[in-house]
Amino acid sequence: MAGFAVTAAGFAVLASLSEGSGYVAVSAGLAPAGVGSGVAGPSATSTVLGAVPPERDGMGSALNDTHQQLGIALGVAGLGSLLATAYRGDLPDGLPDHAVSSLGATLSYAKDHAGGSALAESARSAFTDAQSLTMTIGVAAALAGTAVAFFALPGRAARSAAPEPEAKEAGQPG
């Protein structure tokens, strides 16, 4: 649970970056995002392996590896697609396809064309806005993971539903 919360905090820092943010600000977001992921990973592995009988450890390990690989691939693809779509949507109309494929491509195109300075500024702003949107979605996903870990992990429900020990009545032998 703590790993997801720390990851969410890192993504929140990354969502707040501006065009003028430097490497220190980026590092201040990447560090907790990485640490949080590093803390959440072993906890998830323990949960998966703890849910299968010892004679099925190999199956549990394979299931864990599969969900990690699939989750990483889908997360990167989904967030990357969102970033690219939002970036392209914020650029001025009429640019050739090769000029909107990435921030670097747009800046390169801007250097060689009239009005390039305005286009470069527009591209930087579009990228920053797209990154903020993408990282905000990352915050939401990490907070959803925090909620799932808090409410659904084995043992949490059992602890909260455990009956209170009955108080002994006065006068009964103890």
Side-chain angles (χ1 to χ4, degrees):
M1 179 178 72
F4 287 118
V6 173
T7 299
F11 282 159
V13 171
L14 293 171
S16 71
L17 298 178
S18 67
E19 293 173 44
S21 297
Y23 290 116
V24 172
V26 173
S27 297
L30 289 177
V35 168
S37 295
V39 169
S43 298
T45 299
S46 295
T47 300
V48 170
L49 293 179
V52 297
E55 63 272 8
R56 300 281 185 152
D57 279 347
M59 180 184 71
S61 178
L63 175 64
N64 180 62
D65 290 348
T66 300
H67 95 266
Q68 282 183 344
Q69 294 297 322
L70 185 61
I72 290 167
L74 292 176
V76 168
L79 292 175
S81 295
L82 174 64
L83 181 107
T85 300
Y87 172 68
R88 288 182 186 130
D90 281 350
L91 290 175
D93 292 332
L95 294 173
D97 288 341
H98 70 80
V100 297
S101 63
S102 68
L103 176 61
T106 308
L107 294 176
S108 178
Y109 178 83
K111 281 194 288 188
D112 299 332
H113 291 81
S117 179
L119 176 58
E121 183 61 31
S122 177
R124 287 185 190 96
S125 178
F127 184 81
T128 302
D129 291 347
Q131 176 181 293
S132 292
L133 172 65
T134 303
M135 292 299 112
T136 300
I137 299 299
V139 169
L143 290 176
T146 303
V148 168
F150 184 77
F151 291 110
L153 279 180
R156 289 232 184 249
R159 282 193 296 268
S160 64
E164 294 292 321
E166 293 182 26
K168 295 191 179 207
E169 292 185 27
Q172 289 186 349

